[in-house]
Amino acid sequence: MARTIVVSGYYGFNNSGDEAVLHAIVTALRDEARAAGAEARIVVLSGDPAGTARLHGVEAAHRMRPLALLGALRRADALISGGGSLLQDVTSAKSVLYYLAVLKLARWMRVPTFIYAQGVGPIRDRGRFGPTIRSAFEASRYVSVRDEESKELVASFGVAPERIDVVPDPVMGMGLSLSQTEAATTAAGLRIGVSVRFWRDDRQELERLAAGLALVLEEREDAKVALLPFHLPSDKLASEFVADRMAAAGFGPERVEVHEGASHPKDMLREVAGCDALIGMRLHSLIYAATAGVPPIAVSYDPKIDQFMRRLGESPVGDTDSLDADALAAAVLGRLKLGKTAWYGEKRAAIEEMQQNSRAPAQQIFRELRI
């Protein structure tokens, strides 16, 4: 028996983190279908349908073309909205409006809806969006969010807390084994991964980050920096900005490499797994690191960063407004001294629990569909 499942999210935009979310969701759905002796036919709403189909081995429809969207939903047995930070109005109100509209359209067409590991918020215009989010979530067969803060926000809009499951980000299910991680590190030598993005207009957070990295390379002559862009092309430009500042401090390409990026999430995960520590401004760079047994060092620009680090029992080293170069250098040097095997030993139980629980939404969806 086959079921057609449409997946709505921020897919097809060259963001490795979001593509990792999709990869993890597709993998979980297919695994659960196989366990039930069924087949999951997955159709993804994408900004680049051809690219999404090629990358993930799924069918895809253009997310902004009404006829394509209607066609996908007309054949659907279920609509999944998620994961990622879809319902927020900080970057733009258009985001929350779009994803709520897709959910409402599915309901009009009598397609069961499911909220899959969403990070909800921040919502600045609560009066405008709170009632609509409540309506969308109450009408969904199953609701899961990726942190307690999202649950509290959704509950504050009037959704019964007992209807909201808190689950890890789907990407936690992508992890490499520790032995694979160690093999990659042995081949690569001492390597500090860095995932940066543009945030402040004055670029002070990147200036301070580059200064902190320079201090690390002065202290550890055996270390190299690998700048790993997660969202192309913008993160490549941010990475080059940091590399230029480090070159001015005397650390050229032999110590500081700017990676070209990776099309498939597994390729980027392998790059992260080859690091001894990772400094991340992107949430999914930190998740990649944790699931691959690499110590993540977070520079926060959004509550979702702080929320994830708390699940590991840690805190960001600073945020984009107050990052201190000396504090960053001390954190990196401390992690390098401890070693990633020892760090993973301390965090293994928490990481493995998150990896196991990341599949819970897919399991629940198939129970609800009675496949």
Side-chain angles (χ1 to χ4, degrees):
M1 182 181 295
R3 289 290 186 271
T4 299
I5 302 174
V6 175
V7 183
S8 169
Y10 188 72
Y11 307 128
F13 294 98
N14 287 322
N15 187 318
S16 181
D18 290 299
E19 297 307 320
V21 168
L22 179 57
H23 174 78
I25 290 174
V26 169
T27 300
L29 291 172
R30 285 175 171 164
D31 287 348
E32 292 305 316
R34 193 176 302 113
E39 178 187 353
R41 177 174 172 265
I42 299 170
V43 182
V44 177
L45 303 180
S46 170
D48 176 15
T52 295
R54 182 175 59 253
L55 188 63
H56 297 284
V58 296
E59 297 180 42
H62 202 291
R63 71 201 297 268
M64 297 304 292
R65 292 180 182 166
L67 290 179
L69 179 54
L70 287 168
L73 290 174
R74 190 174 294 117
R75 298 174 292 158
D77 295 297
L79 169 77
I80 289 173
S81 181
S85 302
L86 306 184
L87 300 180
Q88 53 83 22
D89 63 355
V90 174
T91 56
S92 170
K94 293 179 181 178
S95 175
V96 65
L97 286 169
Y98 171 80
Y99 295 111
L100 289 173
V102 173
L103 283 164
K104 190 168 186 177
L105 180 60
R107 295 201 305 276
W108 282 345
M109 299 178 70
R110 300 182 183 276
V111 177
T113 59
F114 299 85
I115 309 299
Y116 198 122
Q118 284 215 28
V120 184
I123 299 292
R124 292 177 175 173
D125 195 342
R126 295 168 62 93
R128 180 185 183 188
F129 295 122
T132 315
I133 292 173
R134 182 185 68 240
S135 176
F137 279 47
E138 287 181 337
S140 293
R141 290 263 194 103
Y142 171 73
V143 173
S144 60
V145 296
R146 71 183 179 195
D147 50 65
E148 289 289 346
E149 290 81 359
S150 293
K151 178 175 180 175
E152 291 171 6
L153 179 59
V154 172
S156 76
F157 296 148
V159 180
E162 60 270 19
R163 288 207 63 225
I164 309 167
D165 279 356
V166 178
V167 299
D169 189 286
V171 176
M172 285 301 303
M174 280 183 57
L176 296 173
S177 70
L178 186 61
S179 61
Q180 288 173 302
T181 302
E182 289 172 334
T185 302
T186 300
L190 194 59
R191 190 174 189 234
I192 304 163
V194 182
S195 166
V196 293
R197 61 170 298 164
F198 288 129
W199 190 251
R200 291 174 57 103
D201 291 339
D202 62 9
R203 311 300 188 219
Q204 281 300 303
E205 78 282 23
L206 298 184
E207 297 274 7
R208 294 169 187 148
L209 190 145
L213 285 172
L215 293 173
V216 172
L217 295 189
E218 287 174 1
E219 181 74 18
R220 294 296 301 259
E221 295 183 358
D222 55 340
K224 295 182 179 181
V225 168
L227 288 146
L228 306 174
F230 269 65
H231 191 178
L232 299 173
S234 60
D235 287 8
K236 179 80 179 297
L237 297 175
S239 296
E240 290 170 348
F241 181 95
V242 172
D244 288 345
R245 296 304 182 273
M246 297 192 70
F251 300 102
E254 71 283 355
R255 301 288 303 276
V256 180
E257 170 197 10
V258 179
H259 194 270
E260 290 299 316
S263 58
H264 199 284
K266 282 189 174 181
D267 294 332
M268 183 60 83
L269 182 59
R270 290 188 188 97
E271 290 293 332
V272 172
C275 297
D276 294 271
L278 182 130
I279 303 167
M281 291 177 66
R282 290 281 185 189
L283 171 64
H284 284 105
S285 71
L286 302 168
I287 294 175
Y288 275 32
T291 197
V294 175
I297 300 164
V299 178
S300 180
Y301 72 93
D302 187 280
K304 65 187 179 183
I305 303 288
D306 307 70
Q307 291 155 7
F308 175 71
M309 294 302 287
R310 276 198 294 272
R311 296 188 81 158
L312 288 174
E314 301 199 1
S315 302
V317 69
D319 59 40
T320 50
D321 291 326
S322 62
L323 183 63
D324 178 78
D326 290 325
L328 177 66
V332 175
L333 291 168
R335 289 300 183 216
L336 294 178
K337 182 177 181 180
L338 175 65
K340 72 178 187 179
T341 301
W343 178 87
Y344 182 73
E346 294 176 0
K347 306 296 180 181
R348 182 170 184 168
I351 291 170
E352 289 183 346
E353 182 180 7
M354 284 192 280
Q355 289 173 332
Q356 181 178 359
N357 292 341
S358 68
R359 294 295 184 91
Q363 294 164 358
Q364 185 62 33
I365 286 168
F366 279 96
R367 281 195 289 268
E368 290 289 333
L369 291 176
R370 293 180 174 85
I371 293 181

